[in-house]
Amino acid sequence: MEVNVTSGFAHHIGSMESDFTIASGKVKLLNEEYNDVSVIFAENRLVIDYPDSKLFGGHNAEPRGTYYLFKSSIDSPFLAKLYDAAKIEPSYREGFTDIWTVNADQGKQLLLLQSYNAINRSNVISEQVVVYDEHSKAFNVIGEIDTVNRRKVADHLKDLGYPEDLEYLATRKAEFDRYQETMMKRFDNEGHPGLEAPLSEQEAFFIATGIGRVTSHADNRRNEDNIGSIFIQKVSSSDGEKVTIHEYEAVRNGDDDEHTATGNWIHVDRTTGRVKDMFDEK
């Protein structure tokens, strides 16, 4: 068994490598260094655990955790049932959908399914949240995440008893990951302002949009006659608590027909990196 974890830049690396045996359904690692490490294989995941006194990785790069099977050379019955429950199209089942285990506790797994564009694999075209009950083998599809439906999914998770941190991770994984990346860059940079310092406007803009080192961005989709729309994202204001980003469309249909249309107002907490938008308001 070989496990490698990397977080941040190259020096944040965790790894484990050992031969193993399986007796009476239990996995035993043969490398004495891992005597306190437990390994559990389930139908759809690998779980590695060990005491806090035994660490094998750098900052945020411990091999300890749950590793979820997201693709296999065989037709996994578990994946087939999961894809059917979430109504994943066949074209997105072979390497174009990742499954993340957000949480596994008390016989239930909170899963996030992300399907990717076939041309641009960095473009997530669909996200769904599913709860898997290990005892009943049942899948509870919570809902698909989009700008408008995100609040509904979060409220459903709250009703099921999930804490706010897990609601956020399940419904805003991209923003959560970008905040972690921002903190790792600070950690790796000797001249960083400190991990406790408020987020800058550029950092907040990156966390909210994925576009780095700027506080505004324009996507011009007008034609050669200057007809059409420019989609704009820009920091509109900031104070000691949050950075507010305005997403809007500058529409031009002719010399006498120009207007703007707001798509969203996004707020980034400068202390926690948490992102909210106007659709989060009840």
Side-chain angles (χ1 to χ4, degrees), residues 220-274:
N220 190 343
R221 300 186 189 178
R222 293 181 180 177
N223 62 20
E224 61 276 9
D225 297 321
N226 198 28
I227 300 298
S229 296
I230 302 175
F231 295 89
I232 300 168
Q233 300 165 297
K234 63 183 298 184
V235 172
S236 65
S237 65
S238 63
D239 55 29
E241 296 182 355
K242 66 179 182 296
V243 175
T244 298
I245 298 163
H246 188 196
E247 291 187 340
Y248 62 97
E249 181 180 353
V251 183
R252 185 176 188 276
N253 295 319
D255 292 339
D256 299 323
D257 186 0
E258 293 188 51
H259 65 277
T260 60
T262 292
N264 206 349
W265 290 97
I266 302 173
H267 311 287
V268 183
D269 188 299
R270 299 189 71 172
T271 300
T272 66
R274 291 290 180 90

Side-chain angles (χ1 to χ4, degrees), residues 147-188:
T147 302
V148 177
N149 200 46
R150 181 180 283 109
R151 180 71 260 161
K152 182 179 178 181
V153 172
D155 286 343
H156 196 163
L157 291 175
K158 182 179 180 180
D159 291 340
L160 292 175
Y162 286 100
E164 184 178 349
D165 286 349
L166 289 180
E167 294 172 28
Y168 185 82
L169 179 53
T171 58
R172 286 196 181 272
K173 185 179 187 302
E175 292 90 339
F176 176 88
D177 288 346
R178 289 195 288 262
Y179 174 72
Q180 297 298 318
E181 180 181 344
T182 299
M183 292 298 101
M184 290 303 300
K185 287 181 178 178
R186 284 190 177 190
F187 186 88
D188 290 325

